[in-house]
Amino acid sequence: MIDENATANWFSKPGDSIRVIMQQRNISAHDLAESFEDGLDAVRGLIDGSRQIDGPTASTLSAMLGATAKFWLKRQENFDIAVDRAVSQVQESGQEELLLRLPAPGPKARGKLSLERRAAELRRRLVFFNVPDAQSWAGRYGRLVGETDYRTSKTYASKEDATLLWLRRGELEADMVQTRVWSAENLLDRLREIRKLSMIRHPQLFLPKLKTLCAEAGVALVVVKAPDGCRASGAIRMVDPDKAMLLLSFRYKRDDQFWFTVFHEIGHLVLHKANTFVDGDALPGDADRESEANEFAAECVIPPLRESEFQRIKPERDDIVRFSVSIGVAPGLTVGQMQHRGMVEPNKLNYLKRTWDWSQINPATV
């Protein structure tokens, strides 16, 4: 029997229906975006609930996804009513202050808020995190640190709010990525092809291929630039029972750091799925798990069978390039490992690494 009191404030975004139909009909976010003047921004807004379905939007959805325009308008109306009900129940429960302290995208509200603005800010947070109350938020995000592995610089302190916003935006981006059912075995089967992508110079060329390989193994690979205060370079999380997210920030914008982060996160996915995403007991700072993921990543760069040869490399350009080509990775990755292991100084041979800026990265993220 369903407990009506427990589900009274539950709501479902129209974007949930949109995602299901897109998956069923094999319609990609890019396919749907072509029908909107503002492209992927429109699809993002519909998926995350921030964009209202009006008459023209309802007609577009009807043409692209099926059902009538009236259905989509009613779907929006029911959603609005449900969210308004959730806001009222939160206010009556005394949870309002707790939820208003949560981070939200966009500019922060300043000064004393009117009752109307408080309700709007509360609504914004419930919709953004897709939760109807504080208990639901705590169940889904309250132990986020314990459920999520993310690489972060030890030199800087991460602000929890900024990291949470980055992770949530990653989840929303992952919602738009169609994948097969998550399989660690399938991901490992594609690891050799993933390694080869490090040889490709430009993000616009290797990122689409990387996304495809990951999606074939049930992993939604997404790139979200970290907001101010968030020092994370990568994260993984199970966003659905059969779908994993691999989130990247391109924090260092350098090939050795980028690819090591990719391999590190894949290591967590294939080595620690049960501990990290089912139990949620382990912390991201757990030394054993981090050490295992680092070792996995290092072996992705330098295969164990080539380790002795690697140790004998001379710190010279031609030797490094020759060895890197023979193992199938970019020279910058080999240099990164040499620096990490103290074989060369950190300021030496960096010209062999590829660096990018956001003008090169952004076109590859859409």
Side-chain angles (χ1 to χ4, degrees):
M1 179 180 295
I2 297 176
D3 183 350
E4 293 184 1
N5 291 327
T7 60
N9 56 355
W10 176 82
F11 58 79
S12 171
K13 296 181 292 187
D16 297 337
S17 299
I18 293 172
R19 284 196 301 121
V20 169
I21 296 174
M22 288 171 63
Q23 185 75 29
Q24 291 174 342
R25 301 193 175 191
N26 197 28
I27 298 172
S28 71
H30 286 85
D31 293 334
L32 185 58
E34 291 178 357
S35 299
F36 292 99
E37 185 175 342
D38 44 352
L40 280 173
D41 286 341
V43 179
R44 286 191 179 94
L46 290 168
I47 295 294
D48 68 26
S50 64
R51 179 182 177 119
Q52 292 275 315
I53 297 178
D54 56 15
T57 301
S59 296
T60 299
L61 292 174
S62 177
M64 286 295 297
L65 303 180
T68 64
K70 183 178 180 180
F71 165 84
W72 291 110
L73 290 171
K74 188 64 177 178
R75 186 73 173 81
Q76 179 69 49
E77 180 185 348
N78 291 341
F79 170 65
D80 290 336
I81 292 172
V83 175
D84 288 342
R85 182 172 60 244
V87 168
S88 296
Q89 292 184 356
V90 166
Q91 291 171 325
E92 293 170 3
S93 69
Q95 301 172 342
E96 184 176 4
E97 292 299 331
L98 172 63
L99 288 169
L100 285 175
R101 287 197 295 269
L102 298 179
K108 292 185 177 180
R110 303 288 183 181
K112 186 176 181 180
L113 303 180
S114 66
L115 294 177
E116 183 178 357
R117 184 63 186 279
R118 286 174 69 86
E121 289 294 323
L122 185 57
R123 186 186 200 279
R124 191 157 67 105
R125 284 157 176 78
L126 294 180
V127 171
F128 178 69
F129 287 106
N130 198 29
V131 294
D133 50 39
Q135 289 89 345
S136 298
W137 189 92
R140 186 170 179 181
Y141 294 102
R143 298 197 58 178
L144 186 59
V145 175
E147 295 175 356
T148 307
D149 286 312
Y150 56 91
R151 296 193 65 225
T152 183
S153 169
K154 295 180 180 179
T155 307
Y156 304 96
S158 289
K159 292 182 180 178
E160 191 171 303
D161 285 359
T163 302
L164 180 58
L165 285 175
W166 176 69
L167 287 164
R168 179 57 183 150
R169 177 51 64 187
E171 289 181 330
L172 293 169
E173 289 293 311
D175 278 346
M176 301 201 302
V177 179
Q178 295 184 22
T179 69
R180 295 180 184 173
V181 174
W182 156 245
S183 168
E185 292 77 12
N186 286 345
L187 184 57
L188 285 172
D189 286 345
R190 287 159 175 77
L191 192 54
R192 178 177 295 182
E193 292 300 312
I194 290 174
R195 285 181 75 253
K196 290 180 182 178
L197 296 180
S198 72
M199 300 286 285
I200 301 175
R201 180 178 298 275
H202 299 294
Q204 271 189 281
L205 297 178
F206 69 72
L207 263 183
K209 297 177 186 295
L210 179 59
K211 291 178 180 179
T212 297
L213 287 169
C214 287
E216 289 172 352
V219 180
L221 184 140
V222 294
V223 175
V224 176
K225 187 176 182 180
D228 291 341
C230 174
R231 303 293 180 177
S233 56
I236 49 169
R237 199 178 193 199
M238 295 302 296
V239 291
D240 283 318
D242 58 359
K243 182 178 183 179
M245 173 187 72
L246 198 167
L247 172 61
L248 301 168
S249 70
F250 267 93
R251 170 164 164 69
Y252 295 98
K253 300 188 287 292
R254 201 172 62 210
D255 68 346
D256 62 321
Q257 291 281 355
F258 172 81
W259 286 106
F260 193 87
T261 295
V262 171
F263 300 143
H264 178 99
E265 303 306 341
I266 289 176
H268 276 308
L269 279 170
V270 300
L271 298 174
H272 305 136
K273 175 178 179 288
N275 289 333
T276 303
F277 301 110
V278 175
D279 297 331
D281 292 328
L283 295 175
D286 180 277
D288 290 338
R289 293 189 310 134
E290 287 301 299
S291 177
E292 289 169 356
N294 282 334
E295 182 178 353
F296 179 93
E299 291 184 356
C300 285
V301 180
I302 310 296
L305 293 177
R306 306 294 296 275
E307 179 66 29
S308 61
E309 184 180 350
F310 168 73
Q311 294 289 346
R312 297 192 300 271
I313 295 178
K314 295 179 181 179
E316 298 177 1
R317 179 190 182 280
D318 289 348
D319 294 75
I320 293 169
V321 170
R322 188 179 303 112
F323 175 78
S324 301
V325 170
S326 74
I327 64 173
V329 298
L333 279 64
T334 303
V335 171
Q337 283 300 297
M338 294 176 72
Q339 292 173 338
H340 178 72
R341 303 185 195 193
M343 297 166 65
V344 297
E345 295 296 321
N347 62 340
K348 302 295 185 183
L349 299 168
N350 285 322
Y351 65 89
L352 287 173
K353 299 179 182 180
R354 294 166 179 158
T355 59
W356 309 293
D357 57 40
W358 280 102
S359 69
Q360 298 168 298
I361 298 168
N362 275 329
T365 64
V366 297

